[in-house]
Every structure is written in structure tokens, then in C-alpha cells.
Amino acid sequence: MKRFFTAILLMAALQAGAQNTKVVAHRGYWDTQDNAQNSITALKAAQEIPVYGSEFDVNMTADGVLVVSHGPKLEEIPDVQKATYDQVKRVRLKNGEKVPTLRKFLKEGRKGDIKLIFELKVHPAGEIEDEAVRKSVHMIKRMKLEDQTEFISFSLEACRQFARLMPGAMVQYLNGKIPPKELKKMGIMGLDYHHSNFTRHPEWVKEAHDLGMIVNVWTVNKEELMQKMIDLGVDFITTDAPETALKLIDKSK
Ligand code: MG
């Protein structure tokens, strides 16, 4: 009898997970023809499929320009944070596109309705990172993108700053070492952890949900692992293979 109820509960949990999991395209939907990671083309491709959002990386150049690029290396530039914008704008991505400035990227993002999952890369702690956060928030507010943007970062301090400067914004911490309860105490309402953290701590998903927090997982590209995360009931799967994830979620419903 006990086993029967366990099976029912498990099925209910699986279904809840299956129905709720949404997909985030990692660095845009870049795995198509004439495309490149963190490009405007990748953002537009993500806008064409039913994903929840498109993730992108933001770095600030040495002269204070926010650009969409993973870094630190950017083609022939060894460290995008130490380069000037003048150097960055001469670089061409794999598909021939220029490196987008954040402003240009957001303008394109505003045309679609998917969420913009803004990853601020780690900058030197203190003044430089504070400036990167401040400029990011200023631009998001000026472009009235508060409701369409969510923030993620490996920098705990940057997450705290985003949460402080934009009350109500979804902020997710990326470095999976902190239990949900501890994050919440810092005012950070989301965790976006590497999948291995949820294999080690599957209980963190429920713990986070019970605390009213959001769970995202990166970067899940294999079907088997996607299914495992769907079954765990994560809210979002960040992936380089968004169409595979979408199909799998559909099938699990
Ligand atoms: Mg990223």
C-alpha cells in the first residue's frame, strides 16, 4: 500500500515538473546556419521558437562600454574587459556580425516577447563591477525593459546589487554552492546552478520552491539529463539545444 502511494506521489511530482519546466536558450539559439553565440542572429532565432527566454553574456570594456560577449577572450582580443570599445568593434563574430553593444542587443530584444536573461560576467570586485551593474540597471530602466529582463551572475555581490537596485526583478545566482535558504536571506530569489549541484542536492529544488524561489539549471544539452531535470521539477532548463528540450517537455506533458 505504501509503495502504491509513493508511486502516486512520484507521478504527481513528475507531472508537476513536466508541466512547469520552461526553456532558456543559452547564448541565444546559435546552433543554426550562419549563426554565432551571443549574436543578434542568435537572439532573433530564439525569438522564433517558443522558449521562455534567451540568455546572453555581458562584459564591460576598459572604457566603460557594455557589450554582449562571453569573454574573457574575444577572437584575437585576449581579454574583452581590458580592451577598448574601439578594439572590440573591429572584431567579427563567426558569422561575420559585429559584437553587439548591449544597447543594440536590447533594442532587438525589445521587439520580441521572450525574456532577456542577462548574465553579467564577473568584473574586478569594487568600483569596476559596481559601475557595470549601475550602467546595466540604468540602461534597462531607460529602455523600460524591467519586466522583460532577468539577471544572472557568478558574482554574488552583483546579484545582491541587482536585487537591491531593481526590487522585484528576478535575480539568479549561478555558482551552485549556496543552499536556497542562504540565498534568500541575501534577497536573491533564484538559483541557476550547474546540473551536478541538483544531482548532489535534489532536495534543493523543493526547498527553493517552498521558499517561493525559482530554480534554473545550466547547461543541459543531453536528452537524458534534460529528462532528469524535468522530472526533478526545475522551473527552467538553460540549454544549447532548445528545440530538443521543448520537444521533450511537450512529450512529458
Ligand atoms: Mg552565460
Side-chain angles (χ1 to χ4, degrees):
M1 197 61 167
K2 196 175 163 201
R3 206 176 292 168
F4 172 75
F5 281 116
T6 311
I8 296 277
L9 281 177
L10 189 66
M11 271 167 64
L14 293 185
Q15 262 184 353
Q19 282 161 0
N20 294 332
T21 307
K22 296 182 180 74
V23 178
V24 172
H26 180 236
R27 305 180 192 171
Y29 185 18
W30 54 268
D31 195 10
T32 66
Q33 224 186 342
D34 299 325
N35 211 329
Q37 296 186 352
N38 282 316
S39 66
I40 298 274
T41 308
L43 171 63
K44 283 183 176 171
Q47 287 168 334
E48 297 296 312
I49 56 172
V51 288
Y52 172 82
S54 190
E55 187 261 2
F56 56 98
D57 302 298
V58 177
N59 267 294
M60 187 171 72
T61 62
D63 49 350
V65 179
L66 295 168
V67 294
V68 176
S69 171
H70 186 274
K73 196 173 172 321
L74 171 61
E75 303 299 330
E76 59 271 25
I77 294 175
D79 186 346
V80 62
Q81 292 184 6
K82 292 191 176 133
T84 61
Y85 178 62
D86 208 47
Q87 290 172 298
V88 170
K89 76 177 182 197
R90 285 197 287 264
V91 173
R92 293 294 174 271
L93 302 177
K94 301 251 180 302
N95 64 346
E97 245 183 84
K98 283 186 184 172
V99 176
T101 59
L102 178 63
R103 188 186 309 277
K104 189 168 176 220
F105 195 88
L106 293 177
K107 264 189 188 168
E108 205 55 50
R110 198 161 53 174
K111 293 180 194 164
D113 49 16
I114 61 172
K115 298 275 184 188
L116 303 168
I117 315 297
F118 184 128
E119 178 180 351
L120 185 70
K121 300 311 277 189
V122 176
H123 289 71
E127 225 172 280
I128 295 181
E129 192 163 79
D130 288 353
E131 184 189 341
V133 172
R134 223 175 27 245
K135 281 187 168 167
S136 300
V137 170
H138 183 70
M139 200 180 290
I140 294 292
K141 285 187 176 170
R142 214 177 42 196
M143 294 177 82
K144 301 201 183 338
L145 279 166
E146 293 98 323
D147 294 339
Q148 206 186 333
T149 311
E150 299 183 1
F151 299 93
I152 59 177
S153 187
F154 278 99
S155 161
L156 190 56
E157 191 46 37
C159 285
R160 286 164 119 156
Q161 293 289 353
F162 279 125
R164 193 177 62 80
L165 294 170
M166 300 196 66
M170 174 46 65
V171 179
Q172 298 167 359
Y173 180 53
L174 287 167
N175 190 356
K177 303 284 174 275
I178 304 181
K181 198 168 56 188
E182 299 303 315
L183 272 186
K184 192 177 178 181
K185 276 189 209 154
M186 296 178 226
I188 299 166
M189 289 304 287
L191 40 154
D192 182 2
Y193 288 171
H194 185 257
H195 53 76
S196 60
N197 293 290
F198 296 116
T199 303
R200 224 171 335 195
H201 294 288
E203 76 281 4
W204 280 4
V205 177
K206 187 177 180 305
E207 208 177 300
H209 286 160
D210 288 348
L211 292 164
M213 299 170 78
I214 292 293
V215 181
N216 193 343
V217 56
W218 58 272
T219 301
V220 188
N221 296 333
K222 294 218 166 71
E223 275 195 42
E224 198 189 333
L225 198 54
M226 284 176 184
Q227 190 63 55
K228 193 173 155 188
M229 293 298 132
I230 294 167
D231 293 346
L232 262 183
V234 301
D235 302 290
F236 303 106
I237 288 179
T238 300
T239 176
D240 291 317
E243 293 211 275
T244 307
L246 286 168
K247 273 187 211 142
L248 213 57
I249 289 166
D250 242 16
K251 241 197 288 176
S252 307
K253 276 183 184 166

